[in-house]
Amino acid sequence: MIIAEQKPFKEIYESVKDSEKLLVLGCGTCVTVCMAGGEKEVGVLANQIRLAAGKDGGKIEVTEHTITRQCDEEFFDEGASEKIKEADSVLSLGCGVGVQHIVQLYPDVVVRPGVNTQFYGATLQQGIWTERCAGCGECVLERFEGICPIARCSKSLMNGPCGGSSNGMCEVDPENTECAWQLIYDRMKRLNKLDKLMDYQPPKDWSHDRDGGPRSVSREDVLF
Amino acid sequence: MSEEQYKSGSRLEQVLTSGNFALTGELGPPKSADRETVEKKANLLKDSVDAANITDNQTAIVRMSSWGAGLIAKECGLEPVMQITTRDRNRLAIQSDVIGAAAMGIKNILCISGDHHSFGNHPTSRIVHDIDSVQLIATLKKMRDEKKFESGDEIRNTKKSELIEPRIFIGAAANPFADPMEFRVVRLAKKINAGADFIQTQVIYDMERFKKWMDEVRDQGLHEKTYILAGITPLKSAKMAQYMKENVSGIAIPDHVVERLSEAEDQKAEGINIAVEQMQELKNMEGISGVHLMAIGAEKSVPGIAEQAGFLPRPTQYEKIS
Amino acid sequence: MESEAGEREPVIIAFCCHYCAFTAADLAGTMRQQYPTNIRIVRLPCTGKVYVNMLLEAFVDGADGVMVAGCEEGSCHFLEGNYRAKKRVNYAKQKIEEVGINPEKLEMYHIGASEGPLFARKAREFTERIRKLMQEENEPENQIQNEK
């Protein structure tokens, strides 16, 4: 899923404090699971804004709403639409996709982002999320037996570890980040495929990544 | 051997192919446009080493470019080994630097991935790593031997013009001390297969561990496919040794080395003694073709160390030693 | 609520665990241990029921101070509800600090069921703390700061 983290309150408040009718809009998918922008976070943030506005005499009328998915038009039902149109600003706690989708659907509303969208990751345990995929557009997991050096090696090295691997951890963040190449090595050993490590991996074709420009996918068979 | 038969014809290549035991040094470019410092360091090094690595934004701190400082060194009579990291440039920039450097007479290039930029003075910059160090080696080999760019395009101006490829002696780094230990020789083999003509190792303090690594290297016959130069840096004090031991990953310093330093009256001199002893031991080790003496910021001490180790004078004739 | 001096009396919400602090509060009353009338008690089945927004809502609705009173460490009826509450209170302290409310206005206490006098003492102390903080905020130089 997409992992996000709430922006510092000060930054959020600066961006919405001149608004009179503010809608804090949560998203019920990824950012709910990573506890950055679901219904609960909407509640806390809305109350924070109310308290801050009360303190400096601001007159923001804050309403709260959360929809299932901000990146899908079908979830913007009548109730959500009405609330968005009534507001002069929307503070979206969806990821960067959600923010832009609201802008596209409601061109007259000012939309502010409430979270910093981080990465595609997994939940290691409640409260800890970690990067697993870089969305490079050309999956190489088969070559590395299911551990991605593009997303998980600090230098995205494709032909083995650098000198900064120590006791299984990466020197860039030895407390939290495992060395992807230690993981790949251990995995190859477990699967009895150590000879696979000798394969030369040629330069990657980054044209499938963002380097090829903004991407889109279309499927003729499912188009209406 | 005639000029034609060399891959690059660099002095380093000639020293190595003639069977001489090589000595390379290292020159850290300044953090300014200070030409004089480069000249000063080059003049200190030029008669003591066969060539010197010119680091490329070492420790991810902005410095005079490797080719810029390399040219100054060359003008002073010190042969440069231009270092290229894959951290700061993509394959377009790297290849244009390579043909530019070759056109200016730089003949040795060392391919490394480079320290992560989060440790340097521009931690908010974007990291590149379009290609990795092994892919960089393969790219240089392709440029030199196939006369083609990484993309497959031929290295010439127009379809009718002459192919003018960079004649480069290709180097790579090897770290026998980092984890995963079992991967280290595999990694070396990959670099050799990709086209590394010579290897410079990480600094060695743990001789026992290095010997074990070399055993494996020899078992696989890798020392016959490339020239291995062993990395040496004199320790300045027991304190520095202890710090490096605890804080620099990929560097192993055994306790007895730290003890020997702390017991010495003159720790700096003892550090040099240790380095000299190591150099002499390495000179007699099967599969080692030279020493890479890294005394960054202590270039002054290099002639003395080379002298004490019996590495001087450096060869000027490159007749094959049988 | 106004005192004789014309100052507003603090309004304090105390979220109390049914198994300990709430019983202690009850006991305090039975023992005739006095504690300020400023405190409005909300009974919870466990302080593990506390969620961050519950604490913020109390402030939004006009509370001057919020206390959460759970079981002594190691004796939660639901094993670790009080530990969870403690973490959430700490997080909520950050959240109110971000909006300019002194985090001292929110506190977690551990009070056993039999400790009526302790509850009364903590209630008095906390009320005094809030009263003092309110006075500080009302001092002229601080008011100017707030307006800035």
Side-chain angles (χ1 to χ4, degrees), chain A residues 154-155 157-168 171-172 181-182 185 197-204 206, chain B residues 91 113-114 116 118-119 129-132 134-135 138 150 175 178-180 182-184 186-187 189-190 193 249-250:
Chain A
S154 295
K155 299 178 184 171
L157 301 182
M158 294 181 72
N159 282 289
C162 73
S165 174
S166 186
N167 298 318
E171 65 172 345
V172 173
W181 276 99
Q182 178 75 54
Y185 177 83
L197 295 173
M198 270 306 289
D199 294 349
Y200 169 66
Q201 303 296 341
K204 190 164 163 50
W206 294 109
Chain B
R91 60 191 90 170
S113 51
H116 196 268
S118 60
F119 299 112
H129 294 301
D130 171 26
I131 53 177
D132 66 24
V134 180
Q135 293 160 350
E150 191 278 321
N175 189 339
D179 291 329
E182 304 84 346
F183 206 130
R184 290 295 150 185
V186 173
R187 177 109 164 122
K190 283 185 88 161
N193 290 347
S249 53

Short mmCIF file of all heavy atoms in Angstrom, two decimals, chain A residues 154-155 157-168 171-172 181-182 185 197-204 206, chain B residues 91 113-114 116 118-119 129-132 134-135 138 150 175 178-180 182-184 186-187 189-190 193 249-250:
data_model
loop_
_atom_site.label_atom_id
_atom_site.label_comp_id
_atom_site.label_asym_id
_atom_site.label_seq_id
_atom_site.Cartn_x
_atom_site.Cartn_y
_atom_site.Cartn_z
N SER A 154 20.22 1.11 -0.47
CA SER A 154 20.29 2.58 -0.44
C SER A 154 20.85 3.14 -1.74
O SER A 154 20.58 4.29 -2.09
CB SER A 154 21.17 3.04 0.72
OG SER A 154 20.58 2.70 1.93
N LYS A 155 21.66 2.34 -2.44
CA LYS A 155 22.24 2.82 -3.69
C LYS A 155 21.62 2.11 -4.91
O LYS A 155 22.14 2.24 -6.02
CB LYS A 155 23.74 2.58 -3.67
CG LYS A 155 24.48 3.32 -2.55
CD LYS A 155 25.97 2.98 -2.57
CE LYS A 155 26.70 3.63 -1.39
NZ LYS A 155 28.09 3.12 -1.30
N LEU A 157 21.93 -0.82 -5.91
CA LEU A 157 22.96 -1.59 -6.61
C LEU A 157 22.39 -2.91 -7.09
O LEU A 157 21.70 -3.60 -6.37
CB LEU A 157 24.16 -1.85 -5.69
CG LEU A 157 24.86 -0.62 -5.12
CD1 LEU A 157 26.05 -1.05 -4.26
CD2 LEU A 157 25.33 0.30 -6.23
N MET A 158 22.71 -3.26 -8.33
CA MET A 158 22.13 -4.47 -8.91
C MET A 158 23.11 -5.64 -8.98
O MET A 158 22.73 -6.75 -9.34
CB MET A 158 21.61 -4.17 -10.31
CG MET A 158 20.44 -3.21 -10.31
SD MET A 158 19.83 -2.92 -11.97
CE MET A 158 19.04 -4.49 -12.30
N ASN A 159 24.38 -5.37 -8.67
CA ASN A 159 25.36 -6.45 -8.82
C ASN A 159 26.09 -6.81 -7.54
O ASN A 159 27.20 -7.30 -7.57
CB ASN A 159 26.37 -6.07 -9.91
CG ASN A 159 25.79 -6.28 -11.31
OD1 ASN A 159 25.61 -7.41 -11.74
ND2 ASN A 159 25.47 -5.19 -11.99
N GLY A 160 25.46 -6.56 -6.43
CA GLY A 160 26.07 -6.96 -5.18
C GLY A 160 26.24 -5.80 -4.22
O GLY A 160 26.02 -4.65 -4.57
N PRO A 161 26.66 -6.14 -2.99
CA PRO A 161 26.70 -5.15 -1.91
C PRO A 161 27.88 -4.20 -2.02
O PRO A 161 28.94 -4.57 -2.50
CB PRO A 161 26.85 -6.02 -0.66
CG PRO A 161 27.56 -7.23 -1.14
CD PRO A 161 27.10 -7.47 -2.55
N CYS A 162 27.72 -2.98 -1.53
CA CYS A 162 28.85 -2.06 -1.44
C CYS A 162 29.58 -2.36 -0.14
O CYS A 162 29.27 -3.32 0.55
CB CYS A 162 28.37 -0.60 -1.50
SG CYS A 162 27.53 -0.01 -0.02
N GLY A 163 30.53 -1.52 0.21
CA GLY A 163 31.31 -1.77 1.42
C GLY A 163 30.60 -1.35 2.70
O GLY A 163 31.14 -1.47 3.78
N GLY A 164 29.37 -0.88 2.56
CA GLY A 164 28.68 -0.34 3.74
C GLY A 164 27.72 -1.30 4.40
O GLY A 164 26.85 -0.90 5.16
N SER A 165 27.90 -2.60 4.11
CA SER A 165 27.03 -3.59 4.73
C SER A 165 27.72 -4.15 5.96
O SER A 165 28.84 -4.64 5.87
CB SER A 165 26.77 -4.72 3.71
OG SER A 165 26.05 -5.76 4.32
N SER A 166 27.07 -4.05 7.10
CA SER A 166 27.72 -4.48 8.33
C SER A 166 26.71 -5.19 9.23
O SER A 166 25.68 -4.62 9.58
CB SER A 166 28.30 -3.25 9.03
OG SER A 166 29.04 -3.65 10.14
N ASN A 167 27.02 -6.43 9.57
CA ASN A 167 26.13 -7.24 10.42
C ASN A 167 24.69 -7.25 9.91
O ASN A 167 23.76 -7.18 10.69
CB ASN A 167 26.15 -6.73 11.86
CG ASN A 167 27.54 -6.82 12.47
OD1 ASN A 167 28.23 -7.82 12.27
ND2 ASN A 167 27.97 -5.77 13.14
N GLY A 168 24.56 -7.30 8.60
CA GLY A 168 23.23 -7.40 8.03
C GLY A 168 22.50 -6.08 7.87
O GLY A 168 21.39 -6.03 7.36
N GLU A 171 24.72 0.85 6.19
CA GLU A 171 25.40 1.92 6.93
C GLU A 171 24.62 3.23 6.90
O GLU A 171 24.83 4.11 7.73
CB GLU A 171 26.81 2.16 6.36
CG GLU A 171 26.82 2.69 4.94
CD GLU A 171 28.21 3.11 4.47
OE1 GLU A 171 29.11 3.26 5.30
OE2 GLU A 171 28.38 3.27 3.25
N VAL A 172 23.72 3.38 5.94
CA VAL A 172 22.97 4.63 5.85
C VAL A 172 22.00 4.77 7.04
O VAL A 172 21.77 5.87 7.53
CB VAL A 172 22.20 4.71 4.50
CG1 VAL A 172 21.29 5.92 4.46
CG2 VAL A 172 23.20 4.76 3.35
N TRP A 181 21.37 -6.57 0.13
CA TRP A 181 22.23 -7.61 -0.45
C TRP A 181 22.53 -8.73 0.53
O TRP A 181 22.79 -9.85 0.13
CB TRP A 181 23.48 -7.00 -1.06
CG TRP A 181 23.14 -6.54 -2.45
CD1 TRP A 181 22.85 -5.28 -2.86
CD2 TRP A 181 22.98 -7.39 -3.59
NE1 TRP A 181 22.52 -5.29 -4.19
CE2 TRP A 181 22.59 -6.57 -4.66
CE3 TRP A 181 23.11 -8.76 -3.80
CZ2 TRP A 181 22.34 -7.06 -5.94
CZ3 TRP A 181 22.86 -9.26 -5.08
CH2 TRP A 181 22.48 -8.43 -6.12
N GLN A 182 22.50 -8.41 1.81
CA GLN A 182 22.60 -9.48 2.81
C GLN A 182 21.34 -10.35 2.69
O GLN A 182 21.43 -11.57 2.70
CB GLN A 182 22.72 -8.89 4.21
CG GLN A 182 22.78 -9.93 5.31
CD GLN A 182 24.14 -10.62 5.39
OE1 GLN A 182 25.16 -9.96 5.50
NE2 GLN A 182 24.15 -11.95 5.32
N TYR A 185 21.56 -12.40 -0.43
CA TYR A 185 22.52 -13.49 -0.24
C TYR A 185 21.89 -14.62 0.59
O TYR A 185 21.94 -15.79 0.20
CB TYR A 185 23.79 -12.98 0.44
CG TYR A 185 24.77 -14.10 0.72
CD1 TYR A 185 25.63 -14.55 -0.27
CD2 TYR A 185 24.77 -14.76 1.95
CE1 TYR A 185 26.49 -15.61 -0.05
CE2 TYR A 185 25.62 -15.83 2.18
CZ TYR A 185 26.48 -16.25 1.19
OH TYR A 185 27.30 -17.31 1.41
N LEU A 197 24.05 -15.49 -7.99
CA LEU A 197 24.68 -14.22 -7.62
C LEU A 197 25.75 -13.81 -8.61
O LEU A 197 26.11 -12.63 -8.70
CB LEU A 197 25.31 -14.33 -6.22
CG LEU A 197 24.35 -14.55 -5.05
CD1 LEU A 197 25.15 -14.80 -3.78
CD2 LEU A 197 23.45 -13.34 -4.86
N MET A 198 26.28 -14.77 -9.36
CA MET A 198 27.34 -14.47 -10.33
C MET A 198 26.78 -13.81 -11.60
O MET A 198 27.53 -13.26 -12.39
CB MET A 198 28.10 -15.75 -10.71
CG MET A 198 29.31 -16.07 -9.84
SD MET A 198 30.50 -14.72 -9.71
CE MET A 198 31.17 -14.75 -11.38
N ASP A 199 25.47 -13.91 -11.80
CA ASP A 199 24.89 -13.33 -13.03
C ASP A 199 25.16 -11.83 -13.10
O ASP A 199 24.90 -11.11 -12.14
CB ASP A 199 23.36 -13.54 -13.06
CG ASP A 199 22.99 -15.00 -13.17
OD1 ASP A 199 23.91 -15.81 -13.42
OD2 ASP A 199 21.81 -15.33 -12.97
N TYR A 200 25.66 -11.39 -14.23
CA TYR A 200 25.85 -9.95 -14.42
C TYR A 200 24.50 -9.31 -14.75
O TYR A 200 23.79 -9.75 -15.65
CB TYR A 200 26.84 -9.70 -15.57
CG TYR A 200 26.89 -8.25 -16.01
CD1 TYR A 200 27.37 -7.26 -15.15
CD2 TYR A 200 26.45 -7.86 -17.27
CE1 TYR A 200 27.41 -5.93 -15.53
CE2 TYR A 200 26.49 -6.54 -17.68
CZ TYR A 200 26.96 -5.57 -16.81
OH TYR A 200 26.99 -4.25 -17.18
N GLN A 201 24.17 -8.30 -13.98
CA GLN A 201 22.92 -7.57 -14.26
C GLN A 201 23.26 -6.31 -15.05
O GLN A 201 23.95 -5.44 -14.54
CB GLN A 201 22.23 -7.18 -12.94
CG GLN A 201 21.92 -8.35 -12.02
CD GLN A 201 20.92 -9.33 -12.61
OE1 GLN A 201 20.18 -8.99 -13.55
NE2 GLN A 201 20.90 -10.54 -12.09
N PRO A 202 22.79 -6.24 -16.29
CA PRO A 202 23.13 -5.08 -17.12
C PRO A 202 22.42 -3.81 -16.62
O PRO A 202 21.48 -3.90 -15.83
CB PRO A 202 22.62 -5.48 -18.50
CG PRO A 202 21.54 -6.47 -18.24
CD PRO A 202 21.90 -7.18 -16.98
N PRO A 203 22.86 -2.64 -17.10
CA PRO A 203 22.19 -1.40 -16.72
C PRO A 203 20.68 -1.50 -16.91
O PRO A 203 20.22 -2.07 -17.90
CB PRO A 203 22.81 -0.36 -17.66
CG PRO A 203 24.18 -0.89 -17.93
CD PRO A 203 24.02 -2.38 -17.98
N LYS A 204 19.94 -0.99 -15.95
CA LYS A 204 18.48 -1.11 -15.99
C LYS A 204 17.89 -0.12 -16.99
O LYS A 204 18.43 0.96 -17.22
CB LYS A 204 17.94 -0.82 -14.59
CG LYS A 204 16.46 -1.14 -14.43
CD LYS A 204 16.10 -1.20 -12.96
CE LYS A 204 14.60 -1.11 -12.73
NZ LYS A 204 13.80 -2.02 -13.55
N TRP A 206 15.53 2.41 -17.35
CA TRP A 206 14.74 3.27 -16.46
C TRP A 206 13.60 3.97 -17.19
O TRP A 206 12.88 4.77 -16.60
CB TRP A 206 15.64 4.33 -15.80
CG TRP A 206 16.65 3.77 -14.85
CD1 TRP A 206 18.00 3.71 -15.05
CD2 TRP A 206 16.41 3.19 -13.56
NE1 TRP A 206 18.61 3.12 -13.95
CE2 TRP A 206 17.66 2.80 -13.04
CE3 TRP A 206 15.25 2.96 -12.79
CZ2 TRP A 206 17.79 2.19 -11.79
CZ3 TRP A 206 15.39 2.36 -11.56
CH2 TRP A 206 16.65 1.98 -11.07
N ARG B 91 24.44 7.75 -16.88
CA ARG B 91 25.33 7.16 -17.88
C ARG B 91 25.71 8.16 -18.97
O ARG B 91 26.78 8.03 -19.57
CB ARG B 91 24.74 5.86 -18.43
CG ARG B 91 23.42 5.96 -19.11
CD ARG B 91 22.81 4.59 -19.36
NE ARG B 91 21.97 4.13 -18.24
CZ ARG B 91 21.18 3.08 -18.28
NH1 ARG B 91 21.12 2.32 -19.35
NH2 ARG B 91 20.43 2.75 -17.24
N SER B 113 31.08 2.88 -6.50
CA SER B 113 29.71 3.40 -6.32
C SER B 113 29.74 4.70 -5.52
O SER B 113 28.90 5.56 -5.71
CB SER B 113 28.79 2.37 -5.68
OG SER B 113 29.35 1.83 -4.52
N GLY B 114 30.72 4.86 -4.63
CA GLY B 114 30.84 6.13 -3.88
C GLY B 114 30.09 6.11 -2.57
O GLY B 114 29.08 5.42 -2.43
N HIS B 116 27.59 7.08 0.31
CA HIS B 116 26.21 7.57 0.22
C HIS B 116 26.17 9.07 0.53
O HIS B 116 26.85 9.54 1.44
CB HIS B 116 25.32 6.82 1.20
CG HIS B 116 23.86 6.97 0.90
ND1 HIS B 116 23.10 7.96 1.46
CD2 HIS B 116 23.04 6.28 0.09
CE1 HIS B 116 21.86 7.86 1.02
NE2 HIS B 116 21.79 6.85 0.18
N SER B 118 24.17 10.88 1.96
CA SER B 118 23.65 11.31 3.26
C SER B 118 24.78 11.57 4.26
O SER B 118 24.56 12.21 5.28
CB SER B 118 22.67 10.28 3.82
OG SER B 118 23.30 9.04 4.00
N PHE B 119 25.99 11.08 3.96
CA PHE B 119 27.12 11.32 4.85
C PHE B 119 27.87 12.60 4.49
O PHE B 119 28.80 13.00 5.18
CB PHE B 119 28.11 10.14 4.79
CG PHE B 119 27.51 8.84 5.23
CD1 PHE B 119 27.31 7.80 4.33
CD2 PHE B 119 27.12 8.66 6.55
CE1 PHE B 119 26.75 6.60 4.74
CE2 PHE B 119 26.56 7.46 6.97
CZ PHE B 119 26.37 6.43 6.06
N HIS B 129 22.91 6.84 -9.12
CA HIS B 129 23.01 5.39 -9.29
C HIS B 129 22.15 4.87 -10.45
O HIS B 129 21.41 3.90 -10.30
CB HIS B 129 22.68 4.65 -7.98
CG HIS B 129 23.70 4.91 -6.93
ND1 HIS B 129 25.05 4.62 -7.08
CD2 HIS B 129 23.61 5.50 -5.71
CE1 HIS B 129 25.71 5.00 -6.00
NE2 HIS B 129 24.87 5.55 -5.17
N ASP B 130 22.28 5.55 -11.57
CA ASP B 130 21.65 5.09 -12.81
C ASP B 130 22.24 3.73 -13.16
O ASP B 130 21.52 2.79 -13.50
CB ASP B 130 21.94 6.15 -13.89
CG ASP B 130 21.54 5.71 -15.27
OD1 ASP B 130 20.63 4.86 -15.39
OD2 ASP B 130 22.13 6.22 -16.24
N ILE B 131 23.58 3.65 -13.06
CA ILE B 131 24.26 2.36 -13.21
C ILE B 131 25.06 2.12 -11.93
O ILE B 131 25.34 3.06 -11.19
CB ILE B 131 25.20 2.33 -14.45
CG1 ILE B 131 26.18 3.50 -14.43
CG2 ILE B 131 24.38 2.36 -15.73
CD1 ILE B 131 27.16 3.48 -15.58
N ASP B 132 25.41 0.86 -11.66
CA ASP B 132 26.23 0.59 -10.49
C ASP B 132 27.69 0.41 -10.91
O ASP B 132 28.02 0.50 -12.10
CB ASP B 132 25.68 -0.60 -9.68
CG ASP B 132 25.75 -1.92 -10.43
OD1 ASP B 132 26.60 -2.06 -11.35
OD2 ASP B 132 24.95 -2.83 -10.11
N VAL B 134 29.69 -2.12 -11.11
CA VAL B 134 30.00 -3.24 -12.01
C VAL B 134 29.53 -2.89 -13.43
O VAL B 134 30.23 -3.14 -14.42
CB VAL B 134 29.33 -4.55 -11.51
CG1 VAL B 134 29.65 -5.69 -12.45
CG2 VAL B 134 29.80 -4.88 -10.10
N GLN B 135 28.37 -2.28 -13.51
CA GLN B 135 27.87 -1.85 -14.83
C GLN B 135 28.76 -0.75 -15.42
O GLN B 135 28.93 -0.68 -16.64
CB GLN B 135 26.42 -1.34 -14.69
CG GLN B 135 25.45 -2.47 -14.33
CD GLN B 135 24.15 -1.96 -13.74
OE1 GLN B 135 24.01 -0.78 -13.42
NE2 GLN B 135 23.19 -2.87 -13.58
N ALA B 138 31.72 -2.49 -16.97
CA ALA B 138 31.31 -3.09 -18.25
C ALA B 138 31.12 -2.02 -19.32
O ALA B 138 31.44 -2.23 -20.50
CB ALA B 138 30.03 -3.89 -18.05
N GLU B 150 27.30 2.74 -24.14
CA GLU B 150 26.44 1.79 -23.43
C GLU B 150 25.19 1.49 -24.25
O GLU B 150 24.71 0.38 -24.29
CB GLU B 150 26.08 2.37 -22.05
CG GLU B 150 25.42 1.40 -21.09
CD GLU B 150 23.94 1.25 -21.34
OE1 GLU B 150 23.28 2.28 -21.65
OE2 GLU B 150 23.43 0.12 -21.23
N ASN B 175 36.36 -4.82 -1.39
CA ASN B 175 36.43 -4.73 0.06
C ASN B 175 36.37 -6.12 0.67
O ASN B 175 35.31 -6.73 0.70
CB ASN B 175 35.28 -3.86 0.59
CG ASN B 175 35.44 -3.57 2.07
OD1 ASN B 175 36.14 -4.30 2.77
ND2 ASN B 175 34.82 -2.51 2.54
N ALA B 178 33.97 -6.23 4.35
CA ALA B 178 32.56 -5.90 4.62
C ALA B 178 31.71 -7.17 4.57
O ALA B 178 32.16 -8.24 4.15
CB ALA B 178 32.07 -4.88 3.59
N ASP B 179 30.47 -7.04 5.00
CA ASP B 179 29.52 -8.14 4.95
C ASP B 179 28.73 -8.07 3.65
O ASP B 179 28.71 -7.01 3.02
CB ASP B 179 28.56 -8.04 6.14
CG ASP B 179 29.29 -8.31 7.45
OD1 ASP B 179 30.25 -9.11 7.41
OD2 ASP B 179 28.92 -7.72 8.47
N PRO B 180 28.04 -9.09 3.19
CA PRO B 180 28.18 -10.47 3.65
C PRO B 180 29.55 -11.03 3.21
O PRO B 180 29.87 -10.96 2.02
CB PRO B 180 27.05 -11.21 2.94
CG PRO B 180 26.31 -10.21 2.12
CD PRO B 180 27.04 -8.93 2.14
N GLU B 182 30.75 -13.87 2.66
CA GLU B 182 30.79 -14.92 1.63
C GLU B 182 30.59 -14.35 0.23
O GLU B 182 30.81 -15.02 -0.76
CB GLU B 182 29.71 -15.98 1.91
CG GLU B 182 29.79 -16.62 3.29
CD GLU B 182 29.09 -15.78 4.36
OE1 GLU B 182 28.77 -14.59 4.12
OE2 GLU B 182 28.89 -16.32 5.47
N PHE B 183 30.12 -13.09 0.18
CA PHE B 183 29.82 -12.49 -1.11
C PHE B 183 31.03 -11.79 -1.69
O PHE B 183 31.09 -11.45 -2.87
CB PHE B 183 28.68 -11.47 -0.93
CG PHE B 183 27.85 -11.23 -2.16
CD1 PHE B 183 26.48 -11.29 -2.08
CD2 PHE B 183 28.44 -10.96 -3.39
CE1 PHE B 183 25.68 -11.07 -3.20
CE2 PHE B 183 27.66 -10.73 -4.51
CZ PHE B 183 26.29 -10.79 -4.40
N ARG B 184 32.04 -11.57 -0.86
CA ARG B 184 33.11 -10.64 -1.25
C ARG B 184 33.94 -11.12 -2.42
O ARG B 184 34.35 -10.33 -3.27
CB ARG B 184 33.97 -10.33 -0.02
CG ARG B 184 33.21 -9.48 0.99
CD ARG B 184 32.89 -8.13 0.39
NE ARG B 184 31.66 -7.57 0.94
CZ ARG B 184 31.13 -6.43 0.48
NH1 ARG B 184 31.70 -5.76 -0.49
NH2 ARG B 184 30.00 -6.00 0.99
N VAL B 186 32.86 -13.31 -4.65
CA VAL B 186 31.92 -13.32 -5.78
C VAL B 186 31.87 -11.95 -6.44
O VAL B 186 31.93 -11.80 -7.66
CB VAL B 186 30.49 -13.70 -5.28
CG1 VAL B 186 29.48 -13.56 -6.41
CG2 VAL B 186 30.47 -15.10 -4.71
N ARG B 187 31.82 -10.95 -5.58
CA ARG B 187 31.74 -9.56 -6.06
C ARG B 187 33.01 -9.23 -6.85
O ARG B 187 32.95 -8.59 -7.90
CB ARG B 187 31.57 -8.65 -4.85
CG ARG B 187 31.54 -7.19 -5.17
CD ARG B 187 30.17 -6.61 -4.99
NE ARG B 187 30.22 -5.16 -4.95
CZ ARG B 187 29.54 -4.37 -5.78
NH1 ARG B 187 28.77 -4.90 -6.71
NH2 ARG B 187 29.61 -3.07 -5.67
N ALA B 189 34.92 -11.33 -8.43
CA ALA B 189 34.87 -12.08 -9.68
C ALA B 189 33.96 -11.37 -10.69
O ALA B 189 34.28 -11.29 -11.88
CB ALA B 189 34.37 -13.50 -9.41
N LYS B 190 32.86 -10.83 -10.20
CA LYS B 190 31.94 -10.12 -11.11
C LYS B 190 32.62 -8.91 -11.72
O LYS B 190 32.45 -8.60 -12.90
CB LYS B 190 30.68 -9.67 -10.36
CG LYS B 190 29.70 -10.79 -10.10
CD LYS B 190 28.42 -10.29 -9.45
CE LYS B 190 27.39 -9.85 -10.46
NZ LYS B 190 26.03 -9.81 -9.88
N ASN B 193 35.10 -10.15 -14.29
CA ASN B 193 34.39 -10.58 -15.50
C ASN B 193 33.86 -9.39 -16.30
O ASN B 193 33.78 -9.42 -17.52
CB ASN B 193 33.21 -11.49 -15.13
CG ASN B 193 33.68 -12.84 -14.63
OD1 ASN B 193 34.86 -13.19 -14.77
ND2 ASN B 193 32.79 -13.60 -14.03
N SER B 249 32.03 1.47 8.77
CA SER B 249 31.71 0.11 8.36
C SER B 249 32.58 -0.27 7.18
O SER B 249 32.98 0.57 6.37
CB SER B 249 30.22 -0.04 8.03
OG SER B 249 29.82 0.93 7.12
N GLY B 250 32.91 -1.54 7.10
CA GLY B 250 33.75 -2.02 6.02
C GLY B 250 35.23 -1.89 6.33
O GLY B 250 36.08 -2.13 5.48
#
